[in-house]
Amino acid sequence: MIRYFLLYMLLSFPLFLIAQQDAQYTQFMFNKLYFNPAYAGAKKVLCLSGIYRKQWIGIERAPQTGTFNMHGSVLKNRLGLGLSVTYDQIGFTDKVDIETNYSYIIRFKDESFLSMGLRGSFSYLQVRWDQADPTQSFDNSIPGGTTSKLLPNFGAGIYYQSKFWYAGISVPHLFQNNIDFSTNPNAAVEPKLTQHYFFTGGLSFDIAKNIQIQPNLMFKYVVNAPFDMDLNLSLVFFQKILVGVTYRMGDSIDALLQWRIAPQLQIAFAYDFT
């Protein structure tokens, strides 16, 4: 899998079965707003970020995902506001998520803070059945033409950050959404978009002059699906170049490279060896 992370400024992959349904990102530590609404406003300034991710190179209709995040703080940096827009495509399925994020931030004298966040979201899910090539004709379980659904939801999270470490826990979507497009009233399977639980954490400290080490982790849990975990270890040289490696449990080993082009602009690239 190849994933690109572009325009990191200042700072879902829908499946019709019980599994990881939200999009996965190798550089999860740079995409905190996507996973946790409580991160909105964390930087005290306006932050913009964008990610493009492409999987399974060379396979027709392979998954690809793009996310744009924008967030900042108001009211003496006590209220965080954020917007996330995600486009997710796999096969004949397209999904667009528009998510508004709000956080209440309690800031402490040592520059650490605790924030509690809420999310309101709408997802537009479309399946282009007319582009499918069924193995048998006149299959009544496959609708004709194009079908779509609008799925509202809410999310919540808590996030804490100090000078040397951070931690957060979140449920980006609190409610299940029915995504059954079947026209058969007797269908036994009713696929749903279900809750995902995320825990993220990380450290940052000096190990030598102009060299920092940054371990990061993410635990992911979906009800009735296998537990998933990402473990990352990165080194930062001269506050400009980050080199890292991530292990996704049972799935891949990932290489990361990030370059701080300017004080307020970073660009990065990641490649997953599955």
Side-chain angles (χ1 to χ4, degrees), residues 205-214 234-243 258-263 266:
F205 53 91
D206 296 331
I207 58 173
K209 186 178 179 180
N210 295 320
I211 302 177
Q212 284 184 324
I213 188 169
Q214 296 181 356
S234 298
L235 293 174
V236 182
F237 301 93
F238 301 98
Q239 296 293 321
K240 287 184 175 295
I241 298 174
L242 179 146
V243 179
Q258 184 185 78
W259 177 34
R260 185 187 293 272
I261 301 174
Q266 298 181 67

Side-chain angles (χ1 to χ4, degrees), residues 79-110:
L79 177 65
L81 303 174
L83 174 68
S84 297
V85 180
T86 299
Y87 172 75
D88 206 10
Q89 180 265 323
I90 176 173
F92 310 112
T93 304
D94 297 304
K95 184 167 174 276
V96 177
D97 299 318
I98 299 177
E99 301 170 332
T100 55
N101 302 279
Y102 311 87
S103 67
Y104 178 72
I105 306 170
I106 304 172
R107 298 191 183 275
F108 306 108
K109 292 183 179 180
D110 60 355

Side-chain angles (χ1 to χ4, degrees), residues 82-145:
L83 174 68
S84 297
V85 180
T86 299
Y87 172 75
D88 206 10
Q89 180 265 323
I90 176 173
F92 310 112
T93 304
D94 297 304
K95 184 167 174 276
V96 177
D97 299 318
I98 299 177
E99 301 170 332
T100 55
N101 302 279
Y102 311 87
S103 67
Y104 178 72
I105 306 170
I106 304 172
R107 298 191 183 275
F108 306 108
K109 292 183 179 180
D110 60 355
E111 294 300 314
S112 63
F113 65 88
L114 173 69
S115 62
M116 295 157 282
L118 294 174
R119 168 175 293 171
S121 65
F122 284 94
S123 298
Y124 177 74
L125 182 63
Q126 180 185 69
V127 182
R128 297 164 293 172
W129 304 101
D130 55 335
Q131 296 186 18
D133 185 17
T135 56
Q136 63 185 57
S137 302
F138 307 109
D139 188 339
N140 293 328
S141 65
I142 302 178

Side-chain angles (χ1 to χ4, degrees), residues 167-224:
I169 187 169
S170 62
V171 187
H173 308 108
L174 289 170
F175 308 116
Q176 290 188 346
N177 290 121
N178 190 326
I179 54 174
D180 184 10
F181 289 101
S182 175
T183 58
N184 183 359
N186 298 317
V189 177
E190 294 186 358
K192 297 179 183 294
L193 291 177
T194 189
Q195 297 93 340
H196 290 54
Y197 301 87
F198 294 96
F199 173 81
T200 56
L203 301 170
S204 179
F205 53 91
D206 296 331
I207 58 173
K209 186 178 179 180
N210 295 320
I211 302 177
Q212 284 184 324
I213 188 169
Q214 296 181 356
N216 299 274
L217 60 84
M218 171 179 282
F219 298 128
K220 297 169 281 185
Y221 176 69
V222 183
V223 177
N224 296 324

Side-chain angles (χ1 to χ4, degrees), residues 39-89:
Y39 187 72
K43 295 289 186 178
K44 295 186 180 181
V45 293
L46 179 65
C47 302
L48 306 174
S49 66
I51 293 178
Y52 175 68
R53 168 185 179 238
K54 188 172 180 64
Q55 302 180 77
W56 309 344
I57 301 301
I59 297 179
E60 186 179 4
R61 301 187 182 95
Q64 55 183 332
T65 306
T67 295
F68 172 77
N69 294 318
M70 176 176 63
H71 69 102
S73 60
V74 296
L75 300 179
K76 297 182 179 180
N77 297 316
R78 296 283 185 178
L79 177 65
L81 303 174
L83 174 68
S84 297
V85 180
T86 299
Y87 172 75
D88 206 10
Q89 180 265 323

